[in-house]
Amino acid sequence: MATMFGSGLSNQTGAAIGSLAFPVLGPLGVVAVRQYVAALVLVAVGRPGLRAFTWRQWWPVLLLAAVFGTMNLSLYTAIDRIGLGLAVTLEFLGPLTVALAGSRRRLDAGCAVLAAAGVVVLMRPRPSTDYAGLALGLVAACCWASYILLNRLVGQRVPGAQGAAAAACVSALTFLPIGIVVALRHPPTAGAVLCAVAAGVLSSAVPYLADLLTLRSVPPQTFGLFMSVNPVLAALVGRLVLGQTLGAPEWAAIGAVVAANAVSLAPR
């Protein structure tokens, strides 16, 4: 329980710290640094034998790399526009959709309706509504759903963590020229770089290693159930670290999405 809680808290704290570098590096620059850190960690752990990969192994790895980069970029841009709590809540619709897909239980249908109601509350028209930010949160959700499905496929075709490591490496190489351009156009400060690196460590390295340790003794279903508290953690971290306050409707919407995810993953 402590490891799972630490993983979620580290992930959201890293995102919050990374957002502190947005004024200097922008979401694109922060994501680029995060991809570099993720690649260093995953390559060290997975040690992929890239030369031995066949095309049957490479194409899902390349898709996973594309989804990995797009997911982080859309999420961090959404955080910049609508705040950490709302962005992570919308992103969590991805794994929830995967969990509910193909289910014929009435309870799961109710979960889908509950989650949809939460989304309607979050996206209700207001003078201050940032529809682009909300749309980016939904893009991140689609990417996370794709990430889950592609990870399953890569896990079946590539042994160990080699597939995830190869995908992270490809993603980092893709973001390398982007990071160079960002650095040349907006010279980074030491503080901004440290925040971006902290985001990579706290949101990529720590959760990945913590999750590996946790899944050795915790069933995947229990793990997924506990991870549904991430939107709540994101909202709390956003309030404490970034001063982002949410109203009662937003908290109710977050609660609806968390409840829908928890019920859908509860033991049957």
Side-chain angles (χ1 to χ4, degrees):
M1 292 292 290
T3 307
M4 288 189 289
F5 181 82
S7 172
L9 185 60
S10 176
N11 194 2
Q12 305 313 326
T13 302
I17 293 174
S19 69
L20 297 176
F22 287 170
V24 177
L25 299 176
L28 185 59
V30 174
V31 170
V33 175
R34 175 176 171 173
Q35 300 303 95
Y36 307 152
V37 174
L40 289 173
V41 173
L42 288 173
V43 168
V45 174
R47 298 182 179 181
L50 302 181
R51 293 183 179 180
F53 281 19
T54 65
W55 174 244
R56 185 172 177 272
Q57 294 172 316
W58 263 120
W59 73 259
V61 166
L62 293 176
L63 286 178
L64 183 62
V67 166
F68 187 43
T70 305
M71 177 176 67
N72 286 330
L73 182 57
S74 57
L75 174 63
Y76 274 55
T77 308
I79 291 172
D80 187 35
R81 301 181 70 102
I82 62 175
L84 182 61
L86 298 188
V88 172
T89 299
L90 289 173
E91 185 196 30
F92 237 78
L93 294 174
L96 175 59
T97 301
V98 173
L100 295 177
S103 175
R104 296 183 179 180
R105 295 194 311 167
R106 292 182 179 179
L107 182 60
D108 287 337
C111 290
V113 172
L114 181 61
V119 173
V120 169
V121 171
L122 290 179
M123 303 187 72
R124 69 191 188 282
R126 287 165 293 168
S128 60
T129 298
D130 188 329
Y131 291 104
L134 295 174
L136 286 166
L138 294 177
V139 170
C142 293
C143 288
W144 197 356
S146 302
Y147 181 80
I148 293 170
L149 298 175
L150 283 169
N151 249 327
R152 291 177 183 173
L153 181 60
V154 169
Q156 293 170 356
R157 297 188 180 184
V158 184
Q162 292 188 55
C169 187
V170 171
S171 182
L173 290 175
T174 303
F175 273 87
L176 185 58
I178 297 174
I180 294 173
V181 171
V182 170
L184 292 176
R185 298 182 66 177
H186 305 283
T189 63
V193 173
L194 286 175
C195 286
V197 171
V201 172
L202 294 175
S203 294
S204 295
V206 172
Y208 180 76
L209 296 176
D211 294 347
L212 279 180
L213 178 63
T214 300
L215 288 170
R216 291 178 180 176
S217 56
V218 175
Q221 192 173 39
T222 303
F223 176 79
L225 180 63
F226 188 90
M227 293 305 290
S228 65
V229 304
N230 266 276
V232 176
L233 290 175
L236 292 174
V237 170
R239 176 68 181 89
L240 295 174
V241 178
L242 303 175
Q244 297 172 346
T245 58
L246 298 175
E250 285 73 27
W251 275 110
I254 291 173
V257 173
V258 170
N261 194 74
V263 172
S264 69
L265 291 174
R268 304 181 180 183

